Amino acid sequence: MKKLWALVLASLTLGSCHVARFFTLNFADIGDYKKFPKKDIKKGATRFYFTPSGSTTAALPATLPYKDNQYDFETFLEKSGTVAFLLIRNDTILYERYPGKYEQDVIVPSFSVAKSFISALMGIAIDEGYVHSVEDPVTRYLPELDEETFGKITIADLLDMRSGIRFNEGYFNPFGDVAKYYYGTNLNKYVRKLKTERPPGETFEYRSVNTQLLAMIISRATGRPVSQYLQEKIWSRLDMEYDASWSIDSRKHQTEKAFCCINARARDFARLGRLYLHEGNWNGEQIVSKEWVRRSVSFEQPKNEFRYSRQWWHNRLFYEPADSSKLTGIYQPVKITGNSGTTYDMLVAPAGDFYARGILGQYVYVLPEKNIIIVRLGKSRKHVNWDQSLRKIALMN
C-alpha cells in the first residue's frame, strides 16, 4: 500500500502526466464536459420537435430490479443513477423524465455513443468521395503509421473492432491506454506509437483507439476537424434543439477525443436514433446512405457474431436448434454455458434492435419494428442490464 501511494504521489508531481490528471480529475463522470477544453458544435437554422404525448402514455414495467430489491419505475430510475430517460414512438414522446435535480437541458457526455456518430461520418465521407472504400488500408490516409504492420489493417477492421491493435481498454487503470487517451494531451503523438498484437480481421476486441483512428482518417481525408464535419453534415441538418460540443485533448493540439465526449442533450441524442430508424433519411433528405445504415445495423457478415457492427451494438436472440424454423436471415450455432457449467448447443440470430452505448450507461436505443427510440443517460450502468431492460420496455409499447 505504501508503494502504491508513493507511486500516486510521484505521479501527481508530474503536472503534464495523464496519470496525475486521472487522480486529480477522478474517474470519468457526467460532469467531465466541464473539465476538458472543447470545440463548439452549432445547431442549424431550423428545428424539429418530437410531438408531446398528450393523452397517450407509455407502457412501463410495474417494477424493475436494482441490486437486490424491486422498485417502481421512477424510483428505479433514480436508484440507478439515471439523469435522463426518453421514450419515443412514431415521433411522439411517450415518456420523458429527468430524475432528481436534472432538467431537459442537462448536458451529458456521450462517452462511447460518440463512436456511432463517427461511423455515420465515415459513411458520409465515403458517400462524398473523400474516402474511397472501407477496404482501404489505414496507411492510405495515415502514412505516418508503419506500412508493414498497419498497411494490413483496413477501415472495415477499425469499424468492426477487429484491427488487432494492442490497446488496454481498462477505464479504471490509470496506467492503461484508454486512460492516457482520455486524460492525455497529445492524441496524435500516442497514435504514432501504436503496436499490434495479432493479425487484423481475426477477433472482435473492443478498442477505443479504433475509433480514434477512424476520426483521424475522416479529418485527414476531408481536410477539416471531425467536430466541424459533424456540425456541417449532421448537427446542422438534423434540426437539433441545442448546440453541442466535443471535448479535445488540449488547447495546443486541438484533437477531438473521437472515441467519446460529444456533449449534448437527450433530445438531440434521440435524433441520431431517428436518423438511423429511417435508414439515414431525415425528413426527405438522405444524410447517410441507406446501404451504410443497413450494413451498420444488420448482420451481413457472420464474423460480426451478431453483437457489434460498424460502431453499433446489437441484441441477440437465442433459439434451441429444433426451433431454427423460426429464424429468418442469417444465424449461427453457438455454445452457451449455463450456471451449472453445462454447455448447450444453441442458435443465435439478431434481435432486430440496435443501439449506441457509452460506459456510464448512455444509450441511444432503436427498435425498428415498433418505430421506437429510447435515450437513457446516466451516472452509471452498474447493477442493471440496460441492453435487455431497454428491449423489454420497447416491446411493451
Side-chain angles (χ1 to χ4, degrees), residues 377-396:
L377 307 177
K379 304 174 185 177
S380 171
R381 71 177 185 206
K382 288 182 179 180
H383 311 297
V384 179
N385 184 343
W386 285 105
D387 300 29
Q388 293 303 317
S389 295
L390 295 181
R391 177 172 173 78
K392 176 181 179 180
I393 293 166
L395 288 170
M396 294 176 65

Side-chain angles (χ1 to χ4, degrees), residues 86-375:
L86 186 59
L87 172 60
I88 299 166
R89 186 185 66 205
N90 296 325
D91 287 343
T92 297
I93 298 174
L94 300 185
Y95 183 85
E96 187 173 23
R97 180 95 162 89
Y98 301 91
K101 62 182 179 180
Y102 299 98
E103 303 289 344
Q104 177 185 311
D105 62 351
V106 59
I107 300 171
V108 180
S110 65
F111 297 104
S112 289
V113 169
K115 291 179 170 69
S116 301
F117 280 99
I118 287 291
S119 177
L121 292 179
M122 179 58 76
I124 294 169
I126 291 174
D127 294 342
E128 294 185 332
Y130 291 111
V131 175
H132 176 258
S133 167
V134 295
E135 298 307 322
D136 287 348
V138 300
T139 49
R140 176 170 179 168
Y141 305 92
L142 305 175
E144 65 269 29
L145 297 178
D146 177 62
E147 176 65 33
E148 183 177 352
T149 301
F150 287 85
K152 300 173 184 176
I153 300 172
T154 66
I155 291 172
D157 292 325
L158 299 179
L159 285 163
D160 288 341
M161 297 286 183
R162 292 175 175 273
S163 67
I165 295 173
R166 181 184 299 136
F167 192 84
N168 185 311
E169 192 71 15
Y171 278 85
F172 302 109
N173 177 4
F175 305 100
D177 294 310
V178 78
K180 181 197 298 184
Y181 277 59
Y182 190 69
Y183 294 101
T185 60
N186 193 342
L187 287 170
N188 288 330
K189 182 179 76 172
Y190 308 150
V191 163
R192 290 194 294 269
K193 297 180 179 179
L194 287 171
K195 306 291 183 183
T196 60
E197 59 185 356
R198 59 180 50 86
E202 288 187 351
T203 306
F204 169 81
E205 293 172 309
Y206 186 87
R207 301 289 185 262
S208 288
V209 70
N210 292 320
T211 313
Q212 192 64 38
L213 289 173
L214 289 171
M216 291 177 65
I217 291 169
I218 293 168
S219 181
R220 197 73 60 85
T222 63
R224 46 210 192 265
V226 288
S227 55
Q228 181 181 337
Y229 201 52
L230 176 68
Q231 176 177 298
E232 292 177 7
K233 302 303 176 181
I234 294 180
W235 217 262
S236 64
R237 298 168 72 185
L238 265 57
D239 305 322
M240 299 294 195
E241 288 189 47
Y242 302 94
D243 293 337
S245 66
W246 206 325
S247 298
I248 57 177
D249 56 357
S250 62
R251 291 184 177 87
K252 178 180 179 180
H253 297 290
Q254 296 284 309
T255 302
E256 293 88 348
K257 292 189 278 190
F259 56 93
C260 68
C261 310
I262 294 174
N263 310 304
R265 281 83 169 181
R267 289 189 179 187
D268 286 340
F269 283 127
R271 285 164 172 79
L272 175 66
R274 185 179 187 268
L275 177 67
Y276 270 63
L277 175 63
H278 295 288
E279 298 186 311
N281 191 284
W282 188 264
N283 297 335
E285 181 183 8
Q286 199 69 36
I287 306 295
V288 190
S289 71
K290 285 185 179 181
E291 292 75 18
W292 184 267
V293 173
R294 288 172 179 172
R295 171 61 178 79
S296 300
V297 303
S298 62
F299 295 93
E300 296 181 3
Q301 299 181 27
K303 74 175 187 177
N304 287 318
E305 298 167 351
F306 307 108
R307 195 71 177 116
Y308 195 85
S309 180
R310 289 194 177 174
Q311 311 280 293
W312 285 87
W313 289 95
H314 309 258
N315 269 320
R316 295 178 291 180
L317 295 176
F318 293 96
Y319 295 88
E320 295 285 353
D323 292 335
S324 60
S325 60
K326 296 180 180 179
L327 301 175
T328 59
I330 60 172
Y331 62 91
Q332 68 181 37
V334 295
K335 290 186 180 294
I336 304 297
T337 303
N339 293 333
S340 64
T342 304
T343 299
Y344 303 90
D345 290 318
M346 301 288 285
L347 295 168
V348 63
D353 50 358
F354 56 90
Y355 45 92
R357 185 176 77 183
I359 188 173
L360 297 186
Q362 323 308 34
Y363 279 82
V364 178
Y365 171 94
V366 181
L367 181 62
E369 67 185 80
K370 291 204 166 191
N371 287 331
I372 282 179
I373 304 160
I374 301 176
V375 174

